[in-house]
Amino acid sequence: QAVKVGLLFSVLLTGGCLCIPSKHNYSTSADLRESGAGRVVVATVDTREDVLSGKRSPDFTGVVRGGFGNPFKVRTTSGRPLAEEFNQSVVNSLSRAGYQAEALAVVRAEIPEAAAVRLKQAGAPRSILLTVNRWKTDQYMSISLEYDLVLRVFGADGSKIAEIKAAGEDNLGQGGKGFAARVATEALRKKLKELLDDAEVRAALKS
């Protein structure tokens, strides 16, 4: 009887849900429409307000809610900053397409302008800067994703030659912990494909 009471108390403390907050893996790659070649250096900056303010850690990816709607944090599976996983995923996507892609180290709380300077210093013919203004999944009865990503392509002289943005809120469907993790990874894959397959971006990388 005491065990049952203790279990019930635990359920109430977690908002009516015997669950452990899930973790999401964003180490992935997109299958790009066209192949390419040449050296491309990639940097990613995390400008999410709650991360810059210190309210959330850099590995924060969203929330999963208990039975009463109370949120629990979801983090990256690896424990690495979200920006690092996004950065490597861009590199993976470009490498699969034939580019000599390299990842520039992610610097916490770096502003896009500072990252652009580091990209120019890397000396590659082309460089990509991905800015993560918003990325947050919210799992309750269904799974939603709020996102705001900006991808810029720079030339060797540091001049911007392409810019594309993907922003909005998507409903990723309904399912349990495993489902949420899968659709979160797939969502990033689709967003990266959308950005990197953009005609302006493709032309900038090949020019």
Side-chain angles (χ1 to χ4, degrees):
Q1 186 68 31
V3 172
K4 291 182 179 180
V5 172
L7 182 59
L8 177 60
F9 184 65
S10 297
V11 171
L12 292 174
L13 284 178
T14 57
C17 175
L18 276 177
C19 59
I20 299 174
S22 60
K23 295 185 178 182
H24 292 171
N25 175 27
Y26 289 108
S27 294
T28 185
S29 65
D31 186 13
L32 304 186
R33 181 184 307 171
E34 296 180 3
S35 60
R39 182 174 175 235
V40 182
V41 178
V42 180
T44 298
V45 293
D46 188 345
T47 61
R48 294 178 294 171
E49 292 183 5
D50 47 2
V51 173
L52 292 178
S53 68
K55 181 180 178 182
R56 304 291 194 190
S57 59
D59 63 346
F60 173 78
T61 69
V63 296
V64 57
R65 299 182 182 275
F68 300 139
N70 49 320
F72 296 88
K73 297 175 185 177
V74 178
R75 306 179 187 277
T76 60
T77 303
S78 66
R80 296 187 302 166
L82 183 68
E84 284 190 16
E85 296 211 340
F86 277 32
N87 203 48
Q88 189 59 52
S89 293
V90 174
V91 169
N92 293 345
S93 302
L94 293 170
S95 296
R96 283 186 61 183
Y99 292 95
Q100 300 171 29
E102 305 171 17
L104 204 63
V106 171
V107 176
R108 184 171 182 175
E110 184 176 40
I111 61 174
E113 292 77 9
V117 170
R118 291 199 298 130
L119 285 170
K120 179 182 177 182
Q121 292 171 343
R126 292 291 180 268
S127 59
I128 287 178
L129 175 61
L130 177 65
T131 302
V132 184
N133 295 316
R134 184 72 171 166
W135 188 275
K136 180 185 177 184
T137 58
D138 192 324
Q139 180 185 1
Y140 191 28
M141 300 302 292
S142 61
I143 304 142
S144 63
L145 168 67
E146 297 177 6
Y147 60 96
D148 185 342
L149 307 174
V150 180
L151 186 142
R152 299 178 177 90
V153 182
F154 298 93
D157 61 355
S159 60
K160 183 179 69 177
I161 52 181
E163 178 174 326
I164 182 70
K165 180 174 183 176
E169 182 173 354
D170 294 350
N171 186 327
L172 303 183
Q174 295 181 328
K177 239 180 2 178
F179 175 81
R182 288 194 300 275
V183 296
T185 305
E186 180 60 25
L188 175 61
R189 188 179 298 119
K190 289 180 178 178
K191 302 309 174 190
L192 291 183
K193 181 173 177 61
E194 176 184 338
L195 293 168
L196 294 169
D197 269 347
D198 177 79
E200 183 182 356
V201 171
R202 286 188 284 115
L205 289 173
K206 292 187 175 183
S207 61

